[in-house]
Amino acid sequence: MTVFLQHVKNMGVSLLCLPCQRSPKISRPNWTQNNHAIKCLLIDTKSYPTNSEYIKVAKALIFRYPFLKDMEGNGYNTWHMSLKRRFKAERTPLVHHEVVRNMKQKFGHHRSPQAPENNQGSITTSVRRSSDIISVFGEDESSIGVHTQVLKRQYLKTQPDSCIVTNAMTKTFQWRRKEVAEGVRADTIANKYPFLKTPAGLCEEMNRIHNIENLQHRFREEFLLILPKVLALARGKSPLEKIYLQAREESLSEDLPAMDFKAGLVLLPIIFKEKVEHHVTLEEPGTPYPTTQLTHTNWKSAFTRRGPSVVKTDGFELFRASYLEEGVIAAFCAYFVFNMAYPPNRKNTLTFVQRCILKISEEGDKPLSTTVIRILNQLY
């Protein structure tokens, strides 16, 4: 088996055959160079190094070559995980090897738990996090009823009074968070507080939860900074990218900035090895999680024309957005507003939006995954 080369004196091996012995001024190696570096840093050793041995080697690598440090976290996590995965891959064909067989018997193999199902057999959402008991002062069911009736009357107006709406939503906020924490369905909450069925209302609720003002403006500014690299990383990885490039060639120059931004939003999941249709789709979403459904008939018109989008969650239509960006941002906010955990098939993209673009951190957040850190290293 194999392991990273360590320093001869301190760790038993030497970092001599790295192909990336370059100046720190040179840009970070790409995926192919990373894999080649790992292969070249391998020598014969035991099949199951300890975690501390992995860490020592990863630390030695970034100490010797500082430009290889991760942009986030402890600086060596991606190399640490790459080593462990490389060892796992090397052990895969050795199922008859005595050491490998004994370790498999010792630790066993367990299937991942499936998503819970409701009484009708359909998949349900899981909660974002278990909240502490929320105390509500100065309000009871009677007063909340009065506030919600005010909200419903304002919602029916062509031009609601923003001051009245803000006042009622603020007074009912703690009560609403208590209801969400107790597991009240998203459609019940949205119908009771109807301004949660608007993109602006969801963004304002997000501000109440995490004190984020001008959320849409912040998202746009931060995403524009990485947009060229997002499009570059998505190049050649999806048929949608080809459709976008063809549509771009046929468009006027003044339409290109808006088209590029829209394409970046659509293609973002691809660079995290997630499916676009789990986030943005032309078809009816087959999931209870917040999903943006475009009203266009095909992807070419979706890239070239501005049109409304529909955000659906938990089996019902939450609201209609005027354009894609508005729908995507509001759909993201819905996870927090209705206390939904990110599903595994969307987790990397949504975590990146939360932690890296909007700079939102919550108590109990886990460290960024290796996949997210690798993309982060290439984007910033």
Side-chain angles (χ1 to χ4, degrees):
M1 291 301 294
T2 50
V3 72
F4 254 128
L5 300 180
Q6 305 170 4
H7 290 294
V8 174
K9 293 183 179 180
N10 297 331
M11 291 171 250
V13 286
S14 177
L15 288 165
L16 296 178
C17 48
L18 245 182
C20 47
Q21 293 182 12
R22 64 182 83 180
S23 168
K25 295 180 180 180
I26 304 298
S27 61
R28 296 182 57 83
N30 58 30
W31 282 93
T32 302
Q33 292 169 325
N34 276 356
N35 290 334
H36 185 53
I38 291 173
K39 291 178 182 178
C40 290
L41 283 168
L42 300 171
I43 62 172
D44 291 337
T45 187
K46 58 187 179 182
S47 302
Y48 288 90
T50 65
N51 191 60
S52 61
E53 288 173 332
Y54 283 126
I55 293 176
K56 283 181 180 179
V57 175
K59 284 184 176 180
L61 175 64
I62 64 172
F63 177 78
R64 178 66 179 82
Y65 304 102
F67 66 95
L68 294 178
K69 288 184 65 175
D70 293 336
M71 299 293 292
E72 182 81 9
N74 54 28
Y76 58 82
N77 185 62
T78 55
W79 292 101
H80 179 196
M81 298 310 297
S82 294
L83 268 176
K84 298 183 76 171
R85 290 193 178 112
R86 179 67 181 179
F87 268 82
K88 183 177 180 180
E90 292 289 339
R91 290 192 297 262
T92 298
L94 304 179
V95 291
H96 300 298
H97 191 281
E98 183 179 357
V99 175
V100 175
R101 185 172 63 250
N102 290 340
M103 292 298 285
K104 286 183 178 295
Q105 291 175 350
K106 178 179 179 180
F107 294 102
H109 297 277
H110 303 282
R111 298 181 67 179
S112 301
Q114 296 181 348
E117 295 187 355
N118 59 21
N119 294 334
Q120 289 71 39
S122 60
I123 298 176
T124 60
T125 58
S126 55
V127 297
R128 183 170 188 80
R129 58 194 175 98
S130 55
S131 303
D132 297 331
I133 297 176
I134 299 176
S135 300
V136 180
F137 298 100
E139 301 289 346
D140 55 24
E141 289 189 12
S142 177
S143 63
I144 293 296
V146 173
H147 295 316
T148 55
Q149 289 302 315
V150 170
L151 290 170
K152 290 175 181 178
R153 287 196 295 269
Q154 290 293 321
Y155 185 72
L156 295 176
K157 293 183 178 181
T158 305
Q159 293 183 330
D161 189 314
S162 60
C163 292
I164 294 176
V165 172
T166 300
N167 181 58
M169 291 294 286
T170 302
K171 287 184 176 179
T172 57
F173 175 68
Q174 290 298 332
W175 189 277
R176 187 164 53 254
R177 298 310 296 164
K178 178 175 178 291
E179 291 177 321
V180 170
E182 290 173 349
V184 178
R185 284 177 54 91
D187 56 346
T188 303
I189 296 291
N191 289 326
K192 185 174 182 179
Y193 308 95
F195 283 91
L196 293 181
K197 295 192 291 184
T198 67
L202 282 171
C203 290
E204 289 171 4
E205 187 80 343
M206 189 72 166
N207 181 32
R208 297 184 189 97
I209 298 172
H210 283 295
N211 193 28
I212 303 177
E213 296 183 357
N214 300 319
L215 185 144
Q216 292 191 22
H217 179 71
R218 178 188 293 191
F219 179 90
R220 169 167 279 274
E221 280 195 336
E222 293 293 331
F223 194 69
L224 281 172
L225 294 176
I226 61 171
L227 178 58
K229 291 186 178 181
V230 169
L231 295 175
L233 289 175
R235 189 168 298 141
K237 295 182 179 179
S238 169
L240 286 181
E241 194 256 349
K242 294 182 180 179
I243 296 174
Y244 151 66
L245 291 178
Q246 292 173 357
R248 196 178 192 277
E249 290 180 357
E250 300 171 6
S251 300
L252 300 175
S253 58
E254 57 263 32
D255 297 330
L256 296 183
M259 185 182 299
D260 291 343
F261 193 89
K262 186 182 295 185
L265 291 177
V266 171
L267 299 175
L268 181 63
I270 292 174
I271 70 176
F272 293 103
K273 300 182 179 180
E274 295 177 348
K275 294 182 178 180
V276 170
E277 58 265 29
H278 291 157
H279 300 266
V280 182
T281 179
L282 297 178
E283 308 294 335
E284 182 71 23
T287 171
Y289 291 97
T291 306
T292 304
Q293 180 183 359
L294 301 179
T295 57
H296 300 85
T297 56
N298 57 71
W299 278 108
K300 183 175 181 180
S301 63
F303 286 127
T304 56
R305 300 176 185 175
R306 176 167 175 159
S309 59
V310 180
V311 172
K312 297 184 177 181
T313 183
D314 213 6
F316 80 103
E317 182 179 312
L318 184 58
F319 63 83
R320 286 184 171 263
S322 300
Y323 48 94
L324 174 62
E325 178 187 350
E326 186 178 54
V328 169
I329 295 173
F332 170 80
C333 292
Y335 282 94
F336 292 82
V337 173
F338 301 115
N339 197 33
M340 296 180 183
Y342 299 147
N345 58 10
R346 311 181 187 197
K347 191 170 185 178
N348 287 334
T349 302
L350 294 172
T351 299
F352 174 77
V353 172
Q354 174 195 332
R355 304 275 290 278
C356 305
I357 295 183
L358 294 177
K359 309 295 191 296
I360 298 173
S361 296
E362 290 188 309
E363 184 179 354
D365 276 346
K366 295 181 180 180
L368 295 176
S369 69
T370 302
T371 300
V372 174
I373 293 178
R374 279 175 173 163
I375 298 301
L376 191 64
N377 291 339
Q378 298 177 70
L379 290 177
Y380 293 94

